[in-house]
Amino acid sequence: MEKSNNSPFEGWGLGKLERPLVIAGPCSAESEEQVVETATQLKTLGIEVFRAGIWKPRTRPNQFEGVGISGLEWMKRVQKEVGMKVSTEVGNVKHVYDSLRHGVDIIWIGARTSADPFAMQEIADALRGVDIPVLVKNPVNPDLNLWIGAIERIAAAGIRRVGAIHRGFSTYDTTRYRNIPQWQVPIELKQKMPEIPMICDPSHMGGKRELIQELSQKALDLNYDGLMIESHFYPAIAKSDSEQQITPSELGTILNNLIIRDPSNDNPLLMLTLEELRHKIDVCDEKLIKILNDRMTIAEIIGSYKKENKITILQSARWKEVVEKIVEKGKKYKLSEEMINTIFKAIHQESINRQTTIMNKS
Ligand code: PEP
Ligand code: MN
């Protein structure tokens, strides 16, 4: 991996300023040996920031809930003897105070906690006046404003160095991911808060080590600023998230395979070609809007007929037929069924809204 040197982490005191920032370490701190040995191996890869969960937010009771404060002593050895910055997750005020007392360099807020505004406010209040970098994971549910709100609470407490971690979103469905990425959510966050660095956590997103390479590459291609990857010196014996952890040496291979692309390029010819292609996209978008408008106008006319003849707006059989036909057509053009379904659900909803307005007009 050829790193590039424009980093949004300037002023974060993180050593070398290269993009991407890589944070790595085990899901949980389990033993002094595991922590120090894993960190030592990670350091040889040039990784500057170590992660380890000290308190683990487990879904069911009686699962391994972390080693607690003793783990913070092991983290001190990582700072002093290995020479890395250390980071851990805080989920309540006690975790904040314990971490600060033990000199943790960076704290992060987990996905279950960032979904809870009460917890977020208490943590933010506990951090008031403290100058520590804080990373806020996306909430478990894909609610952009909830994520923004969590970041705002931390920033409003006077924390200057705030970043976001995208780890994907829970779903009841079985998918190839443990947490579905929904890349549009962090992209929108980045548009609304461009100053917030964005880190991807492909470990919790994928839930299995085989997906880490492709998810990391995808994040970098979307211009993410960093990666947080779970790494354990012996993943098979890990007490949590064993299937998604990789050895430091496997992490080294993944990082070596990553291609770092820059958001812009000095080559004027290339930039011109890109400009032209973007212009073509703009033209397509114009056409799309015009066609959508034509379609809605027809839907309104249909609405008037339905009103005059007292028939219902929703005709499920007709709608099912429309979607099936369009999905089939889409396949011919290699348009994914998922996209066609999303777009046409939205179009259908808008048509229904328009027709409802017409029906209710006196
Ligand atoms: C973790 O980072 O170990 C963790 C518990 O992550 P998340 O909050 O994303 O589930
Ligand atoms: Mn984990």
Side-chain angles (χ1 to χ4, degrees):
M1 172 176 65
E2 274 297 313
K3 288 194 165 194
S4 95
N5 46 23
N6 52 4
S7 164
F9 295 103
E10 236 177 284
W12 283 52
L14 295 181
K16 275 186 260 138
L17 283 179
E18 293 173 324
R19 181 181 161 269
L21 169 74
V22 179
I23 301 173
C27 179
S28 314
E30 296 165 358
S31 70
E32 187 159 9
E33 187 209 3
Q34 172 241 18
V35 165
V36 176
E37 180 55 31
T38 305
T40 307
Q41 293 183 23
L42 290 169
K43 176 74 178 177
T44 63
L45 302 175
I47 290 169
E48 310 263 352
V49 186
F50 182 74
R51 67 147 278 158
I54 296 293
W55 304 278
K56 298 306 298 179
R58 304 314 299 273
T59 305
R60 306 283 297 271
N62 305 322
Q63 294 176 314
F64 173 68
E65 292 190 324
V67 292
I69 298 205
S70 49
L72 291 171
E73 296 297 331
W74 310 335
M75 298 284 247
K76 281 189 193 160
R77 284 193 58 196
V78 174
Q79 289 170 315
K80 294 207 184 89
E81 294 168 33
V82 187
M84 291 172 88
K85 302 277 181 195
V86 299
S87 62
T88 198
E89 170 176 346
V90 296
N92 60 35
V93 170
K94 184 181 174 298
H95 298 164
V96 172
Y97 292 142
D98 286 341
S99 300
L100 294 176
R101 209 154 31 86
H102 286 83
V104 168
D105 299 294
I106 298 176
I107 55 178
W108 85 79
I109 304 205
R112 291 153 197 79
T113 311
S114 67
D116 176 356
F118 288 135
M120 281 310 304
Q121 194 54 53
E122 283 179 10
I123 291 172
D125 290 339
L127 286 169
R128 205 169 285 280
V130 181
D131 189 21
I132 187 170
V134 179
L135 302 171
V136 182
K137 285 197 166 195
N138 67 255
V140 277
N141 51 327
D143 182 335
L144 176 62
N145 282 325
L146 196 56
W147 195 3
I148 291 180
I151 293 170
E152 283 171 341
R153 285 175 203 276
I154 297 294
I159 302 291
R160 291 177 301 114
R161 297 168 290 177
V162 189
I165 303 176
H166 174 215
R167 50 75 87 190
F169 303 92
S170 299
T171 167
Y172 185 67
D173 299 333
T174 4
T175 72
R176 70 191 280 261
Y177 308 104
R178 177 177 175 191
N179 293 291
I180 37 174
Q182 305 231 23
W183 298 98
Q184 71 280 16
V185 180
I187 288 173
E188 222 178 301
L189 179 87
K190 195 75 194 168
Q191 275 164 358
K192 295 199 165 147
M193 303 180 122
E195 71 290 354
I196 300 290
M198 182 64 70
I199 292 170
C200 179
D201 171 349
S203 308
H204 291 91
M205 196 178 272
K208 37 182 144 3
R209 56 184 67 88
E210 295 74 25
L211 289 179
I212 294 176
Q213 181 86 59
E214 79 172 67
L215 288 170
S216 302
Q217 186 63 58
K218 167 101 181 174
L220 293 186
D221 290 343
L222 289 171
N223 203 23
Y224 278 44
D225 306 295
L227 298 168
M228 177 189 260
I229 300 179
E230 283 188 343
S231 176
H232 188 298
F233 77 143
Y234 193 3
I237 61 158
K239 293 185 175 165
S240 57
D241 289 349
S242 147
E243 332 68 65
Q244 71 193 33
Q245 300 203 60
I246 51 179
T247 62
S249 131
E250 287 164 337
L251 177 61
T253 309
I254 286 178
L255 296 179
N256 271 331
N257 288 339
L258 285 175
I259 302 162
I260 309 290
R261 302 178 172 102
D262 275 321
S264 63
N265 189 289
D266 295 337
N267 180 342
L269 189 64
L270 184 97
M271 290 317 279
L272 195 67
T273 315
L274 259 188
E275 255 334 286
E276 278 171 15
L277 290 170
R278 284 181 177 148
H279 176 68
K280 285 188 181 161
I281 291 264
D282 290 345
V283 172
C284 285
D285 287 348
E286 281 286 327
K287 284 191 194 156
L288 272 175
I289 293 288
K290 164 99 183 46
I291 287 192
L292 283 174
N293 179 53
D294 291 350
R295 195 188 189 287
M296 291 308 152
T297 310
I298 299 173
E300 286 182 348
I301 297 171
I302 294 180
S304 305
Y305 274 109
K306 285 182 181 165
K307 183 180 181 180
E308 275 165 33
N309 297 294
K310 295 200 170 49
I311 40 182
T312 56
I313 295 178
L314 185 64
Q315 314 243 308
S316 304
R318 153 83 185 144
W319 179 243
K320 192 164 166 274
E321 208 181 290
V322 169
V323 174
E324 279 169 6
K325 227 174 4 185
I326 213 79
V327 164
E328 261 330 292
K329 284 214 174 111
K331 276 185 191 157
K332 283 196 195 127
Y333 293 105
K334 295 205 166 61
L335 298 171
S336 79
E337 186 166 341
E338 188 194 357
M339 180 186 73
I340 298 278
N341 274 320
T342 310
I343 292 177
F344 276 83
K345 252 186 222 157
I347 291 178
H348 190 223
Q349 187 58 55
E350 177 73 6
S351 295
I352 290 177
N353 294 350
R354 299 273 188 127
Q355 295 190 10
T356 309
T357 310
I358 290 196
M359 289 271 191
N360 294 325
K361 230 190 245 159
S362 49

